[in-house]
Amino acid sequence: MGRFDISPEVAEEYRGKFREAVQPMLDEEVLAVGTFRTTGSGTKYAISKTQAGALAYGAAHLMGKAKAGGLPGQFLLVVTPKGLHAFKYKMKRKGPEAKEEVAAWDRSGLKAGTERMQTTTRVTLEWPDGEQIVCDQDGMGDNPWADDVVRELQ
């Protein structure tokens, strides 16, 4: 296993914790839950390390947020039989704590695509009406929970 890889045991443990965090907030069965973030994390990191300034950092943040349809910097995507839901969340010592739902969409006609980037996988979600959301799987390297979400949507 590499430095950022997750063992199958830990992956399964957190699948349960993610489901437990969101299931009480939904009326449908949770099929998959994964952690995602807006695009531009690498750009923001480079800006902070080169001390290019708050204006450049803010612009990179706003661009990523716009591509992600206004979603927060980090969020959970939850797949149910009929819908796709986004929740704010925090990682606590005992596991994830889901906050309020920030968006919900109908799954009918939804197309999901992926593109492997240097440190993450970029996910593009597109609906028949032309609405599009572009976000990245959270973390560097292995993210089995986000992989579950993408697999369920494809």
Side-chain angles (χ1 to χ4, degrees):
M1 280 195 342
R3 182 174 178 188
F4 297 108
D5 290 341
I6 296 165
S7 72
E9 296 80 18
V10 170
E12 197 55 43
E13 175 188 350
Y14 274 82
R15 272 188 191 95
K17 288 182 178 188
F18 283 125
R19 281 195 170 102
E20 288 169 11
V22 296
Q23 187 63 72
M25 303 166 118
L26 295 166
D27 294 333
E28 293 184 273
E29 174 193 4
V30 172
L31 302 175
V33 183
T35 57
F36 293 83
R37 65 177 183 234
T38 57
T39 62
S41 291
T43 303
K44 291 188 291 187
Y45 179 77
I47 289 168
S48 71
K49 290 301 173 191
T50 60
Q51 298 180 350
L55 190 60
Y57 188 91
H61 176 74
L62 288 175
M63 286 174 48
K65 189 169 184 152
K67 284 183 181 180
L71 293 171
Q74 291 184 314
F75 52 94
L76 295 174
L77 280 181
V78 182
V79 182
T80 63
K82 295 180 183 174
L84 177 64
H85 306 265
F87 287 88
K88 281 186 177 180
Y89 81 103
K90 283 191 173 191
M91 283 303 285
K92 301 272 186 161
R93 220 181 251 191
K94 295 179 183 178
E97 179 185 322
K99 302 290 187 178
E100 74 269 11
E101 183 177 53
V102 292
W105 305 271
D106 187 347
R107 280 183 61 188
S108 59
L110 171 63
K111 293 180 184 172
T114 61
E115 176 187 358
R116 187 72 191 127
M117 308 297 281
Q118 190 172 356
T119 60
T120 188
T121 299
R122 179 143 303 153
V123 178
T124 302
L125 304 171
E126 191 169 357
W127 284 265
D129 66 0
E131 182 180 2
Q132 186 179 58
I133 291 176
V134 180
C135 57
D136 292 339
Q137 292 185 352
D138 198 19
M140 293 179 69
D142 200 16
N143 186 334
W145 314 288
D147 291 341
D148 293 345
V149 168
V150 170
R151 222 179 352 267
E152 197 67 45
L153 293 174
Q154 289 181 325

